Amino acid sequence: MSKKIQKRDAEASKALIITHAKSLFSEKGYASASMDELAKRCGLNKAMVFYYFKNKKGLYEAVMREVLVEIQEAITEENKTHSKPIEELEGFIRTYARYACEHPYLPALLLKELSDSGAVFPEMLFTSMRQLFALFSDILKRGEEKGCFDNAIPMILYFMVIGTLNLMVTTKPLRLEAAKLEDIDLDTCAGCDIDEIADYIIIKIKQMLKEPK
Amino acid sequence: MSKKIQKRDAEASKALIITHAKSLFSEKGYASASMDELAKRCGLNKAMVFYYFKNKKGLYEAVMREVLVEIQEAITEENKTHSKPIEELEGFIRTYARYACEHPYLPALLLKELSDSGAVFPEMLFTSMRQLFALFSDILKRGEEKGCFDNAIPMILYFMVIGTLNLMVTTKPLRLEAAKLEDIDLDTCAGCDIDEIADYIIIKIKQMLKEPK
DNA sequence: TATAATTAACTAACCAGTTAATTGATAGGA
DNA sequence: TCCTATCAATTAACTGGTTAGTTAATTATA
């Protein structure tokens, strides 16, 4: 069943649209992303977008679904390789960090959605985010039961982790620019790579969860 | 010099536009905010917007400037009442939290800007954010010199604080909705007020900055 | 030959920004 | 106190460009 190269390939066209839509939406945001430009980037006729995805919202929905499923699967998969809560937590943070850095459309799209309270597309951001948060929350809960974590409020800690990582990824160009100015002595971590950042967050989160003795 | 009520009042019209623009931009984002709708909300003619602010970008600039100056002044003012770094840090977090909660357009606008790397209006977001960050950074630096803080990377800690607070504010409606569902046992802190959240963050940040002995 | 994929050309709505005309406040002179 | 010239504030109506979405015809494939 190997696919031969053909002029017409529904799957290929669909995938092409999603790929370019991911970057377009994350660059411009939902409202400013033009379907004309998307078609041009894909090298397809604009009508194809509506043929496959009904309308702009439908395309955005498909994009968000793919993005969220991807990150969720990556993290869930990685999580299986650990048994101790501390290792699970470390894995969660490191995997999210790497994934966000390699797929920078994710933090951009997520922050845009979260700053809108899901104005464009509530329901599914909702379910997917809830599932990811549930995984994080469970790790902390198990850790508390085993006595290795103390005084954890999962919701706040969750936003601490993904909020910080998302911002560190999306503001990278901004921080690089700020580093060039030398009027005030300010370290914007412009040179830091994502693993260093993840390591630092891990250390600090661990410190936060240490039981006071 | 008391202003009498008159049919024509430039200052009042200008202020009216800014006020409604703040909420419109934070609700819809820059691209989706329509100047027609803004004029309707203000009860003014659309041409007034362009008469006072030249163009949409000019209005957005004015809005962002006001918002950022407001928060910066609030924090700088509060900061003067403290002398010890730990108290300064506490004050910074608590003031930002309260201000963000009382003016929810701030977190919405900030997250939108930061997720774009300042695509709409870079220069001044830049300077203002840098000044606010400089204040935060200085507090940590002084704390480290006095030996009360350890292993602080200001940029990451800054995003940890404002990232978490911004997200907790903007996602409040989302978290309230999530709390109604009971399929999985998940605490979304729907009932938490901003002071409790700020207190928790303060405790955790303090723990993170404790010198290891 | 039937059907799925693709296209060019179109529409109707919207939107930022302009313009020229009009209205209201006000200060100065008679 | 009234008249009026001036200028600032306000308006309705318009423009040109863009956008999401449609349609009917065309081409490739099995």
Side-chain angles (χ1 to χ4, degrees), chain B residues 37-86:
Chain B
E37 197 191 333
L38 175 61
K40 209 175 285 169
R41 287 193 189 189
C42 296
L44 295 173
N45 190 285
K46 184 174 61 146
M48 298 303 289
V49 176
F50 298 93
Y51 179 66
Y52 287 117
F53 299 97
K54 199 188 166 198
N55 52 30
K56 190 178 181 180
K57 211 184 155 195
L59 171 64
Y60 186 72
E61 184 172 327
V63 166
M64 286 304 281
R65 174 161 293 130
E66 222 186 83
V67 166
L68 288 168
V69 164
E70 267 175 33
I71 180 75
Q72 209 185 314
E73 278 177 359
I75 288 182
T76 310
E77 211 52 43
E78 203 276 346
N79 187 254
K80 286 178 190 160
T81 66
H82 303 295
S83 52
K84 278 192 259 173
I86 305 162

Side-chain angles (χ1 to χ4, degrees), chain A residues 22-193:
Chain A
K22 265 186 204 169
S23 48
L24 188 64
F25 278 131
S26 68
E27 278 168 36
K28 312 250 173 153
Y30 179 78
S32 299
S34 145
M35 297 299 98
D36 283 276
E37 197 191 332
L38 174 62
K40 209 175 286 170
R41 286 193 190 189
C42 296
L44 295 173
N45 189 285
K46 185 172 63 143
M48 298 303 289
V49 176
F50 297 92
Y51 179 67
Y52 286 118
F53 298 97
K54 198 187 166 198
N55 52 30
K56 191 179 181 180
K57 212 185 154 195
L59 171 64
Y60 185 72
E61 185 172 326
V63 166
M64 288 303 283
R65 174 161 294 130
E66 222 186 85
V67 167
L68 288 168
V69 165
E70 266 174 35
I71 180 76
Q72 209 184 313
E73 278 176 359
I75 289 182
T76 310
E77 210 52 43
E78 202 277 345
N79 187 254
K80 287 179 190 159
T81 65
H82 303 294
S83 51
K84 277 192 259 172
I86 306 165
E87 284 168 11
E88 286 183 80
L89 185 65
E90 261 195 67
F92 187 104
I93 297 172
R94 220 183 294 275
T95 311
Y96 188 91
R98 282 209 194 116
Y99 192 89
C101 183
E102 278 160 29
H103 308 80
Y105 52 79
L106 173 77
L109 287 169
L110 264 185
L111 281 183
K112 283 193 177 86
E113 272 295 337
L114 291 173
S115 73
D116 270 356
S117 260
V120 185
F121 182 49
E123 329 99 60
M124 75 132 313
L125 170 84
F126 210 75
T127 357
S128 278
M129 284 297 287
R130 244 165 71 96
Q131 277 165 24
L132 207 58
F133 170 54
L135 179 64
F136 184 84
S137 187
D138 277 349
I139 296 172
L140 293 181
K141 214 173 287 174
R142 265 178 274 127
E144 265 188 318
E145 278 161 16
K146 285 193 179 173
C148 44
F149 294 155
D150 182 66
N151 187 23
I153 301 185
M155 187 79 263
I156 301 180
L157 295 175
Y158 181 67
F159 280 147
M160 252 185 186
V161 171
I162 68 153
T164 312
L165 287 171
N166 284 339
L167 284 175
M168 289 302 287
V169 171
T170 58
T171 61
K172 184 148 201 193
L174 223 56
R175 289 183 290 110
L176 274 165
E177 211 181 317
K180 286 179 204 157
L181 303 174
E182 294 188 343
D183 52 329
I184 25 176
D185 179 37
L186 222 47
D187 181 13
T188 60
C189 295
C192 288
D193 70 48

